[in-house]
Amino acid sequence: MSAEKSTLHTGNLQSGTIDWLRYPLMVLIVIIHTDTALLLSMPVGNGFSPVLYGLLRTIIRVAVPLFFIFSGYWFFRQPEDFTMEVYRGKLAKRARSLLVPYLFWNFFAWAFQLLMVVLQGHADWLAISLFRPDGLLDIFIGMGSGYQGMPKAFQLWFLRDLMVMCLLAPVLYFLLRGRRWWVLPVFAVLYVMPWNAEWPMLLMRFPSALLFFSIGAWFGIRKLDMVETARRVPLWLCLLVPTVLMAWHVWLMMRGAVATPVAERLFSIAAIVPTLRIAAALVERHNLRPTKWLAGSGFLLFATHPLVMNYLLVEPLAGKLTPTVAHFWLVLVAEVVVPVVVCAVVHVFARKVMPRTASLLTGGR
């Protein structure tokens, strides 16, 4: 009986940890995209300031891997058997939770930016090539080089690659359910290895989806508890390795070294375990729960934060701030706080005024 209670407690802790982590990780995603023209026009300074910024730019790299891991885990965690009927049912659900929001928000970003160009009196900037099939494929999928292998709403590459991983689920299930120990290491090598500039840009971020979705799938297929597994790693090891990699990444980044992406990717792998352990400890000791009205705005924040940053901060403040270190940090904070506040307010309002539409456009979240 005690063993059953312990297992239940651990399972609840994992679920609670994932639920609580989602919004802080989404804020890290926003921080990833604060490298705007406005921020980069400000000097980061010398001494401790660039080191602090380098540490921040390193820590945020754990967000995307964990979102992929959570997605892979829940795709395979239930039910007990993964059959073609189960697969079709999961795809139908993902069409609503991923495809519909992906198409809508990508169209919204595109149409909104076209409207702003027209309102600013630059309609002549709109080339007819934008509306041709190849132009639309680039805008909605990232098929060309116009958006560096990403859709027009660039942050939605995550949903695009996540949908591809869901389609590949039967192949992953075949590869991961047996004793093919080499599968995840091979995926890790593909992720860490430097990207050749001549390779298709559309595939540039796919190794990230492949590795981390597969890690989550591996745990889900085996019905293992990720928090419990993370706690089996010696504490000194799960803190030492990411710390060393973080220091290495910051050192390389400050020197503009070509090995910087490799250090960044190694850190993103190593940081998974301590992040889960620290989050689980906080949830367990302080009974942390997501703040519903704030956490509920997470997807809206993901879908719209670049637009909010650009049209409420970057364009209005362009050329109006003196380039100082203080303004660098003020701009960085503003580029996080403003989207968070705006999206939280809009989400609360939308859920009250048009709950069904809001649910549809956020994938039922």
Side-chain angles (χ1 to χ4, degrees):
M1 184 68 174
S2 60
E4 292 179 357
K5 288 183 178 180
S6 176
T7 302
L8 180 61
H9 171 74
T10 304
N12 288 340
L13 178 59
Q14 174 184 254
S15 179
T17 299
I18 293 175
D19 288 344
W20 180 79
L21 258 178
R22 289 185 185 278
Y23 193 79
L25 291 176
M26 190 59 69
V27 174
L28 294 186
I29 297 293
V30 177
I31 297 175
I32 290 175
H33 300 140
T34 56
D35 56 346
T36 62
L38 178 62
L39 184 70
L40 297 179
S41 68
M42 303 292 142
V44 70
N46 299 310
F48 181 68
S49 184
V51 174
L52 179 60
Y53 182 62
L55 292 173
L56 179 63
R57 298 300 299 180
T58 306
I59 292 170
I60 58 180
R61 298 302 169 181
V62 75
V64 171
L66 279 171
F67 275 121
F68 274 127
I69 288 173
F70 296 159
S71 298
Y73 180 80
W74 292 121
F75 193 94
F76 288 98
R77 178 61 181 84
Q78 293 175 335
E80 290 298 320
D81 295 323
F82 185 77
T83 63
M84 290 306 297
E85 182 179 357
V86 169
Y87 172 63
R88 287 191 292 268
K90 288 181 178 290
L91 287 187
K93 292 180 180 178
R94 267 58 180 188
R96 182 177 185 272
S97 64
L98 299 177
L99 180 60
V100 171
Y102 175 83
L103 293 175
F104 174 81
W105 289 111
N106 206 49
F107 176 79
F108 178 85
W110 179 50
F112 185 85
Q113 291 182 39
L114 291 182
L115 176 62
M116 293 304 297
V117 169
V118 172
L119 292 178
Q120 291 169 0
H122 302 299
D124 55 308
W125 292 0
L126 304 180
I128 191 63
S129 59
L130 287 174
F131 306 94
R132 293 172 180 166
D134 57 337
L136 294 175
L137 284 175
D138 195 18
I139 289 168
F140 284 91
I141 300 178
M143 290 291 291
S145 58
Y147 305 105
Q148 297 183 326
M150 297 178 286
K152 179 63 174 177
F154 61 86
Q155 73 280 13
L156 297 185
W157 74 266
F158 174 87
L159 294 186
R160 179 197 65 193
D161 288 7
L162 180 55
M163 288 187 286
V164 173
M165 295 309 303
C166 291
L167 291 173
L168 294 176
V171 177
L172 290 177
Y173 183 75
F174 170 76
L175 290 174
L176 298 172
R177 68 173 179 174
R179 297 183 178 181
R180 300 175 181 85
W181 62 268
W182 49 267
V183 174
L184 290 179
V186 168
F187 290 171
V189 170
L190 293 175
Y191 170 66
V192 173
M193 64 185 290
W195 185 262
N196 190 316
E198 296 181 359
W199 294 349
M201 299 186 73
L202 178 65
L203 303 178
M204 183 183 300
R205 292 161 186 80
F206 185 69
S208 173
L210 181 63
L211 172 62
F212 296 111
F213 186 91
S214 296
I215 291 174
W218 189 88
F219 279 94
I221 291 169
R222 285 163 175 77
K223 318 304 179 190
L224 297 176
D225 189 293
M226 292 186 289
V227 169
E228 183 182 8
T229 303
R231 285 181 164 180
R232 292 175 182 174
V233 180
L235 182 60
W236 68 268
L237 183 63
C238 73
L239 293 178
L240 176 63
V241 174
T243 300
V244 171
L245 290 172
M246 181 188 299
W248 184 41
H249 178 250
V250 173
W251 184 79
L252 292 173
M253 185 171 59
M254 292 178 67
R255 284 157 178 76
V258 295
T260 302
V262 175
E264 175 186 297
R265 293 163 194 163
L266 288 173
F267 172 82
S268 67
I269 296 173
I272 292 168
V273 171
T275 302
L276 287 175
R277 287 192 61 157
I278 293 170
L282 292 173
V283 170
E284 187 174 39
R285 294 176 186 177
H286 302 288
N287 196 31
L288 297 179
R289 296 289 185 272
T291 304
K292 289 187 177 181
W293 64 269
L294 185 61
S297 67
F299 187 86
L300 183 64
L301 180 62
F302 168 69
T304 64
H305 70 269
L307 291 176
V308 176
M309 279 186 203
N310 188 59
Y311 291 103
L312 293 186
L313 289 170
V314 176
E315 290 199 3
L317 295 178
K320 297 179 180 178
L321 296 176
T322 53
T324 65
V325 175
H327 281 158
F328 175 90
W329 289 104
L330 287 173
V331 168
L332 192 152
V333 171
E335 289 184 346
V336 177
V337 173
V338 171
V340 164
V341 173
V342 168
C343 291
V345 171
V346 171
H347 181 264
V348 170
F349 177 78
R351 293 291 292 183
K352 290 183 177 180
V353 175
M354 46 182 185
R356 291 186 178 180
T357 302
S359 178
L360 178 66
L361 300 184
T362 58
R365 296 169 180 84

